[in-house]
Amino acid sequence: MNMNSTPRGERPHIAVFGRCNAGKSSIINALAGQSISIVSQVSGTTTDPVYHPMELLPAGPVVLIDTAGLDDTGDLGAQRVRRTKSILDRTDLALLVVDAESESWEFEQELMKTLTDKGTPVIVLLNKTDLLEGESAGAAAILAAAGVAAQLGTPPVPLSASNGEGIGELKKRMISVLSSEEDRYRIVGDLLQPGDTAVLVIPIDKAAPKGRLILPQQQTIRDILECDASAVVTKEQELRHTLDCLGKKPNLVITDSQAFLKAEADTPRDVPLTSFSILFARYKGDLPSLVGGVKTIARLRDGDKVLIAEACSHHRQSDDIGTVKIPRWLREKTGKQLAIEHAAGHDFPADLEQYALIIHCGACMLNRRAMQGRIAEAQAAGVPIVNYGVLIAYVQGVFPRAIEMFPSAMMAWEQG
Amino acid sequence: MNMNSTPRGERPHIAVFGRCNAGKSSIINALAGQSISIVSQVSGTTTDPVYHPMELLPAGPVVLIDTAGLDDTGDLGAQRVRRTKSILDRTDLALLVVDAESESWEFEQELMKTLTDKGTPVIVLLNKTDLLEGESAGAAAILAAAGVAAQLGTPPVPLSASNGEGIGELKKRMISVLSSEEDRYRIVGDLLQPGDTAVLVIPIDKAAPKGRLILPQQQTIRDILECDASAVVTKEQELRHTLDCLGKKPNLVITDSQAFLKAEADTPRDVPLTSFSILFARYKGDLPSLVGGVKTIARLRDGDKVLIAEACSHHRQSDDIGTVKIPRWLREKTGKQLAIEHAAGHDFPADLEQYALIIHCGACMLNRRAMQGRIAEAQAAGVPIVNYGVLIAYVQGVFPRAIEMFPSAMMAWEQG
């Protein structure tokens, strides 16, 4: 139950790469059988990757991606690169499966280079060690491992998917890589000291799910607890009273974007104030770039093309943010005739160059790497990019207060 | 995403009853088409009911139950009663579909009586009003409605599932009944005044889901916000410091059961202290009965049979509460040789009379009615019943402090 409720964007993405005959599928099955329980299997078309949401204990929910597209060709040609680009862009950990019986690894070398250029951690798996024949099978395995290490620059995990040998070690390595990756990014924990108090302003309106908290609110509370601080949760109407009841000023106030103005009015000027959206813009992407992007709004001219991009298609309510609210805010803020286009789904449209600005959703269905990949794509095309959270803080006039505690974002705001 | 993540036990259960030819399925489809979106359909065997998790806006997630078992027989015979008992026991709102072309309603009268005896709200639907023939179709519909009202004691909602007429009105009635039902029970809101502060002690250990809060924690925070109070969330290690930082004493401290002893030590004696488990025992069931049940533990004798019942089968960890921890606690607490049996699933075993005590799980997969039905069953068999939450507070020695704020539970504790 809990497991299924973790959105894919919040699960580390583990992609399994390898040639068709390397034993990719048997490794996925071995992982599933021994240490991971397959929850569901979302089948795509033949060229699409298959996503297996799984529980990798004790690391937690992950998604294992079977990269159906990377098969027995020796090179990553242009077409193949495009096809697998969306997987590579969202991979938090790559498992590269190498056949112990094989003797050359050009394909793997090329892939290895692509991944390491992106800074993606890779675990190389030397599969089918049980098939090495003869009395010197053990020696052959050692030799094959040494060959792989030399060619791919990293010692492989020897394993036999068919008899399960090495799967335990693989699992350990996966957990170790994921834990070290995860410690690099915090939602809010790096802004607080042990013993600190953060006040969270959470409005209860009809958009709020009944009887629950939305995931970003849960994640923020959890992260506050993890840094030995405490979280005070209040509605916007009670914020002033809640602050009065605290024995000392809080160290931080985090508000839902829709209560920004009320929170700003009620939070003493010397208490840092930001929003869940700004925190998640920072957590998911690159806050200075997005802050740089928001400044473009003031420079938009009649006829400029603006792309509003969402990572998934969702049910649109009557006051949908992407199709209704943001276009209205842009009109009000700029007074210009803008040509607004919309895109939804896994990929950006081609020809990003034509746009004066890209406005991206909060990316709850994308992982950090995928969101950062999109920011990089926009930058490569020379197009400023901002996301919903940063844009909302801006149109509500709480800039720059909402980003004051982030020095690099403030620099981006104050520059040019 | 959000919708699917609401466990069935937290969704109001709306069961659709009616004879086979009354148009049950077409009404379910009409609801699905107009006001409800079907998320998934869990098919059971032919005699099992079919559960449709749905979103009934703005009321929120519900589950619509298609009662396949109640078909064209005129009476609720013994076998049929048994078969549909598990549905009736968990129905929060019954939709009773009556065919406008029919002329007698003995079947419906009997069902109506069963439901009203249980205190289950019923909406009667007069279906197929569009099929009433002749120029006086309108008059015929009025006449049929009057007949139903006279025989079933409540005015029906006239509707035509085939052309959608009346579906809007039905939806309105459903939402109204569900809202009034829900206001009768609160998790914690009835213990707090506007402006109050409740401190929540939430340990972060490896059992806690990564990066999130579990549903009872979310529901409690949400309920606190809904009564215009604020929630202070802290780990057990920081509880004392957090209390020191508050300008005044909190009005309530709620702790996870596993931090009970630490929370009790750190919470001033004049501040009410309870646990999430106790709150949910009260919310889901009948706290005084469960408190009465826990007292049986001290009276258990060698050879007594104890039933540990769980509402669902789940993956058992090595220190599983039902099969490992509770049996150990019982041994330690009583020093007796007990015959402990286990049951899991939708129904209690037969012959409850043989047990000296029933220990029930927290019932996260059961709704309030179903849990109350089980308590009633135990009581009918003359067997005391307690649940995990109340038992844990008891074995940890924080009784009666953990129930002091509930007068009827204290009475049950102090009696006999």
Side-chain angles (χ1 to χ4, degrees), chain A residues 57-204:
Chain A
L57 293 171
V62 301
V63 60
L64 203 57
I65 310 174
D66 193 349
T67 62
L70 276 176
D71 284 307
D72 43 32
T73 73
D75 68 319
L76 282 165
Q79 194 194 348
R80 190 162 295 274
V81 168
R82 250 200 311 282
R83 201 202 281 165
T84 57
K85 184 185 156 304
S86 81
I87 309 169
L88 291 167
D89 276 352
R90 65 189 66 205
T91 299
D92 293 302
L93 165 61
L95 304 186
L96 177 52
V97 186
V98 173
D99 187 339
E101 294 184 300
S102 176
E103 281 174 11
S104 74
W105 294 282
E106 293 85 11
F107 165 84
E108 287 82 359
Q109 279 177 316
E110 208 168 330
L111 187 58
M112 193 78 190
K113 184 175 181 319
T114 310
L115 288 163
T116 47
D117 283 354
K118 283 183 169 294
T120 309
V122 184
I123 299 175
V124 178
L125 310 178
L126 186 66
N127 195 22
K128 306 190 193 174
T129 50
D130 55 319
L131 296 185
L132 294 169
E133 283 181 10
E135 293 185 44
S136 58
I142 291 168
L143 207 65
V148 167
Q151 290 196 40
L152 300 184
T154 179
V157 178
L159 108 166
S160 158
S162 56
N163 67 23
E165 215 176 303
I167 292 287
E169 173 62 25
L170 167 59
K171 191 189 150 196
K172 233 182 278 174
R173 289 270 285 267
M174 287 164 69
I175 289 164
S176 148
V177 173
L178 291 177
S179 325
S180 65
E181 279 293 288
E182 159 191 335
D183 288 345
R184 286 203 284 160
Y185 304 98
R186 301 292 299 263
I187 296 164
V188 63
D190 58 324
L191 302 175
L192 296 170
Q193 299 295 321
D196 276 2
T197 303
V199 173
L200 275 49
V201 184
I202 295 183
I204 302 291

Side-chain angles (χ1 to χ4, degrees), chain A residues 59 209-210 222 225 228 231 233 235, chain B residues 59 209 222 225 228 231 233 235:
Chain A
K210 207 165 136 291
R222 177 66 189 255
L225 293 178
D228 303 335
V233 187
K235 296 206 300 294
Chain B
R222 178 64 189 257
L225 293 178
D228 303 336
V233 187
K235 294 206 301 294

Side-chain angles (χ1 to χ4, degrees), chain B residues 52-102:
Chain B
H52 302 276
M54 291 177 175
E55 192 83 354
L56 179 67
L57 294 171
V62 301
V63 60
L64 204 56
I65 309 175
D66 195 347
T67 62
L70 276 175
D71 285 305
D72 43 31
T73 74
D75 67 320
L76 281 166
Q79 194 195 346
R80 190 163 295 274
V81 167
R82 250 200 310 282
R83 202 200 282 163
T84 58
K85 183 183 159 304
S86 83
I87 309 168
L88 291 166
D89 278 351
R90 63 190 67 206
T91 299
D92 293 302
L93 165 60
L95 305 185
L96 177 52
V97 185
V98 173
D99 186 339
E101 293 184 303
S102 177

Side-chain angles (χ1 to χ4, degrees), chain A residues 2 5-6 59 182 195 204 209-213 215 218-219 222 225 228 230-233 235 238 241 245 247, chain B residues 2 5-6 59 182 195 204 209-213 215 218-219 222 225 228 230-235 238 241 245 247:
Chain A
N2 282 337
S5 68
T6 303
E182 159 191 335
I204 302 291
K210 207 165 136 291
R212 285 181 291 132
L213 300 179
L215 189 61
Q218 297 179 46
Q219 291 174 296
R222 177 66 189 255
L225 293 178
D228 303 335
S230 64
V232 179
V233 187
K235 296 206 300 294
E238 284 80 47
H241 172 77
C245 288
Chain B
N2 281 338
S5 70
T6 303
E182 161 190 335
I204 302 291
K210 211 167 133 290
R212 286 182 289 129
L213 300 179
L215 190 60
Q218 297 178 46
Q219 291 174 297
R222 178 64 189 257
L225 293 178
D228 303 336
S230 65
V232 178
V233 187
T234 183
K235 294 206 301 294
E238 284 79 48
H241 172 76
C245 287

